Amino acid sequence: MTTRRIPRPHDLAPLLRFKRPVLSPTRRRLEAALTIHDLRRIAKRRTPRAAFDFGDGAAESELSLRRARQAFEDVEFHPTVLTDVSDVDTSRDVLGHRSSHPFAIAPIGFTRMMHSEGERAGAAAAAAFGIPFTLSTMGTTSIEDVAAASGDGRRWFQLYLWKDRERSMALVGRAAAAGYDTLLVTVDSAVAGSRLRDVRNGMTIPPTLTPRTVIDAIPRPRWWFDFLTTEPLSFASLDRWSGTVAALVDTMFDPRLGYDDLAWIREQWPGKVVVKGVQSLHDARRIAATGVDGIVLSNHGGRQLDRAPVPFHLLPEVVREVGADVEIWLDTGVMSGADIVAAVALGARNVLIGRAYVYGLMAGGRAGVDRALDILSAQMRRTLQLLGAPTLDELGPHHVRQLRRFVPVEG
């Protein structure tokens, strides 16, 4: 029989711990976000549709993006037990420099459309976190201002080689002078992908005030206040533009880009060169043979060719074939620290995070980017501990099995 008594105050005291209230609404929202998906939901509530969809969307039916994310969801981990994982080291060398984690912020254009702090927030957060930040040719903050924001942090510059070659190399010269040590040459953008969300939203630079955008702005006054009361958009690559994003892309991209151009760039750039947008083993072999320092397996976040190959599926065979000659990096579909661990286990030296970064940016500016990086780091550490791998070098293919949903039909 249970004997009951009236609880004494000193018995209740250890059970009644009141959390100190968080007065900042932004901090309160961000602390409640436990995953990148949580940050995405906050970002969607706080950002006008056109700006959110530009960062969130992909090309045409968005199959490439969904398949890339599905590939990570279909990973099966195989842990090693009875291993001391009390101390986990997430750092590694990337192109000769030590990074605190095996990931870097990917080049994303127009980020000041998503949040007024834009690239400055990303560069400052990356520097504080000990990882590189990549500025896009279509960035909305100048090369020099991003360098100032990143301080002693490591910074890379992403290049779309324009039809005007000399103008392109003038940008490259500015980046070198501002202390950018690596050039990411994007090669999967002969023309702009058909990003239907942007077309439907009438995405323009600057934003077009239509009845729809005004209605959409009503529940998001803070975004409009920040946008209208901060400095006008400035670009890393041009002074002003008054048309659609697609028109700007078509003006800048050059469908004639070839191997001779890659060699020409390497002759003029004093730092490391990484080629971004490789989507086949054949191309990986040819590009590695040119003497570049790295290759990014990427389908541009699903934003160019829909139904493109899934980079994560390509990773093991590319690493086997050319991984001894160049660093192999990965992007597209990465939404968690576990995704990053899976990529590293299969041989990726580094991973680029794009949407995970901009969801944090849209959710809370610099504080939101910090939160995104903290989430990825915590997830990485926990996954490494549960896998029984206290360092990245102890990860291997034996830790990961890819469960493929799509098996090619042999013709």
Side-chain angles (χ1 to χ4, degrees):
M1 180 175 179
T2 303
T3 302
R4 301 188 183 277
R5 63 181 177 80
I6 297 174
R8 299 182 180 91
H10 69 271
D11 294 329
L12 293 175
L15 304 176
L16 299 176
R17 296 184 180 181
F18 296 99
K19 184 178 179 181
R20 180 176 297 179
V22 178
L23 300 181
S24 166
T26 299
R27 183 181 166 194
R28 190 164 57 244
R29 282 191 300 270
L30 295 177
E31 287 184 356
L34 304 180
T35 68
I36 299 299
H37 292 282
D38 290 341
L39 290 176
R40 180 186 181 276
R41 284 188 284 271
I42 297 170
K44 189 172 184 179
R45 290 198 306 267
R46 298 186 57 77
T47 311
R49 177 184 296 176
F52 176 82
D53 280 353
F54 177 78
D56 185 65
E60 300 187 30
S61 58
E62 305 192 357
L63 278 172
S64 290
L65 176 59
R66 289 200 298 274
R67 289 176 179 175
R69 285 184 172 161
Q70 189 66 59
F72 284 111
E73 292 176 8
D74 287 345
V75 162
E76 180 179 85
F77 282 127
H78 291 255
T80 300
V81 298
L82 299 177
T83 303
D84 182 0
V85 289
S86 57
D87 184 23
V88 171
D89 182 7
T90 60
S91 67
R92 76 170 355 181
D93 287 335
V94 177
L95 293 180
H97 296 263
R98 200 71 177 172
S99 288
S100 67
H101 292 73
F103 58 86
I105 291 182
I108 305 288
F110 310 115
T111 59
R112 286 191 57 223
M113 291 285 295
M114 304 173 207
H115 191 282
S116 58
E117 295 180 24
E119 290 88 359
R120 289 185 180 90
F129 199 70
I131 62 172
F133 174 85
T134 315
L135 175 63
S136 169
T137 298
M138 294 185 174
T140 42
T141 306
S142 73
I143 291 170
E144 293 76 16
D145 286 347
V146 168
S150 66
D152 294 332
R154 191 176 184 193
R155 47 193 175 271
W156 300 338
F157 186 71
Q158 176 270 332
L159 176 69
Y160 291 117
L161 191 63
W162 298 3
K163 296 171 184 175
D164 185 341
R165 296 292 195 265
E166 295 306 319
R167 193 175 181 189
S168 292
M169 297 319 291
L171 280 180
V172 168
R174 284 172 56 192
Y180 292 69
D181 64 70
T182 298
L183 191 67
L184 272 65
V185 182
T186 297
V187 296
D188 61 1
S189 303
V191 296
S194 180
R195 303 170 192 175
L196 300 184
R197 289 202 221 179
D198 294 345
V199 175
R200 293 181 178 121
N201 290 328
M203 178 68 173
T204 61
I205 306 295
T208 301
L209 292 176
T210 65
R212 179 177 174 178
T213 57
V214 170
I215 293 171
D216 187 50
I218 291 173
R220 301 171 179 87
R222 180 56 187 263
W223 185 93
W224 281 103
F225 175 79
D226 287 344
F227 183 81
L228 295 173
T229 59
T230 54
E231 61 184 293
L233 292 183
S234 60
F235 292 81
S237 53
L238 69 163
D239 296 325
R240 307 291 295 175
W241 182 260
S242 57
T244 66
V245 173
L248 174 59
V249 169
D250 281 333
T251 298
M252 296 173 65
F253 291 178
D254 189 351
R256 301 170 301 172
L257 180 64
Y259 280 88
D260 289 343
D261 294 303
L262 184 59
W264 181 66
I265 291 169
R266 289 186 61 238
E267 289 173 359
Q268 300 186 65
W269 174 254
K272 304 288 188 179
V273 174
V274 175
V275 176
K276 180 177 181 291
V278 178
Q279 299 170 65
S280 73
L281 177 59
H282 173 265
D283 283 343
R285 286 184 183 129
R286 288 194 66 190
I287 292 169
T290 68
V292 298
D293 302 287
I295 288 172
V296 186
L297 299 179
S298 168
N299 63 27
H300 213 107
R303 296 162 70 81
Q304 285 295 105
L305 175 67
D306 204 13
R307 299 179 176 86
V310 175
F312 186 65
H313 287 166
L314 290 171
L315 180 60
E317 62 177 352
V318 172
V319 169
R320 281 194 300 269
E321 291 285 335
V322 299
D325 304 319
V326 296
E327 291 192 5
I328 307 301
W329 300 358
L330 182 88
D331 82 2
T332 304
V334 177
M335 287 288 284
S336 74
D339 296 342
I340 296 168
V341 169
V344 172
L346 292 184
R349 170 58 50 173
N350 188 48
V351 173
L352 298 179
I353 59 165
R355 289 181 178 87
Y357 147 59
V358 297
Y359 293 147
L361 179 67
M362 290 187 281
R366 163 68 193 275
V369 181
D370 288 337
R371 183 60 180 154
L373 298 180
D374 285 341
I375 287 171
L376 293 174
S377 176
Q379 291 172 335
M380 270 197 68
R381 289 178 176 276
R382 186 182 309 110
T383 303
L384 288 170
Q385 288 176 306
L386 294 174
L387 279 176
T391 69
L392 299 181
D393 289 339
E394 293 175 69
L395 283 174
H398 60 283
H399 285 113
V400 175
R401 177 183 293 168
Q402 296 187 59
L403 307 177
R404 295 187 183 230
R405 293 176 181 237
F406 302 101
V407 178
V409 176
E410 300 299 334

